Amino acid sequence: MLFLKTTSNFGGRNMKLNNTRNYFTELTISVLQEEGWETKLEEGYIIANKNNDEERLVIYVVSNVIGLKESSTSVAKEKPILKLKRKSELLAGDNTPCISYGIAKKSLTELEVLITPVSAIEEYGYVGGEYSRASNHYHYNYMKVNENELPKGAILRYCWSGKKLKNNK
């Protein structure tokens, strides 16, 4: 079981970014392993391969905590994605640079992990779509995807929903 350790309440921006990124890195690894991928952390990237295949995923994790009144778009800035592409090129074998969007929504009652190749965003992205490229950033808008669907070109999507239980006393 994974726990999100924070030193403050969920107010949106008070949560420590490093904690949420670490949380979603571990959650991404767990999801991949559940689906049969072998994983390892290397220099801040998740390296994943399946069935000892030469093709590997090189994954950069982006984490967002999105409150009720905030945008439903998660953003990966251009500079880390350029580094991801370089890292992918330096590794031996056939590598696919990917972004794992880790999103905590609505006071942590909903979580999502989406793993998608950078190339899918570049190929299928458009303004107002599931994916878009604006200001040289890589955007994913979870509200544009039906709950039980995988966005075009994506590798894996897991969504969780929960509720706070109240004491009846």
Side-chain angles (χ1 to χ4, degrees), residues 66-164:
I66 299 175
L68 291 172
K69 297 180 182 178
E70 295 182 65
S71 167
S72 59
T73 301
S74 184
V75 179
K77 295 183 179 178
E78 184 179 43
K79 189 174 180 179
I81 301 309
L82 292 174
K83 288 181 180 179
L84 167 67
K85 287 179 175 182
R86 277 194 297 274
K87 173 70 174 175
S88 186
E89 290 170 1
L90 291 173
L91 290 172
D94 193 13
N95 303 298
T96 304
C98 297
I99 301 171
S100 174
Y101 291 97
I103 306 167
K105 313 172 215 176
K106 301 178 185 176
S107 302
L108 296 178
T109 58
E110 296 178 31
L111 300 174
E112 178 174 335
V113 169
L114 173 78
I115 302 171
T116 190
V118 172
S119 61
I121 299 168
E122 294 170 342
E123 184 175 345
Y124 305 119
Y126 62 92
V127 175
E130 300 168 344
Y131 305 126
S132 64
R133 291 285 316 276
S135 304
N136 292 322
H137 300 326
Y138 293 76
H139 299 259
Y140 166 59
N141 187 339
Y142 68 85
M143 292 295 288
K144 299 289 182 174
V145 182
N146 289 330
E147 185 177 312
N148 298 322
E149 290 183 359
L150 188 63
K152 194 168 187 175
I155 295 169
L156 193 59
R157 181 180 185 218
Y158 268 61
C159 300
W160 298 266
S161 183
K163 65 181 179 178
K164 181 179 178 181

Side-chain angles (χ1 to χ4, degrees), residues 4 6 12-24 62-65:
L4 179 62
T6 179
R13 300 298 157 223
N14 293 333
M15 192 175 287
K16 290 185 176 182
L17 182 60
N18 195 39
N19 285 343
T20 56
R21 187 163 191 276
N22 290 341
Y23 175 78
F24 280 111
V62 175
S63 62
N64 293 95
V65 178

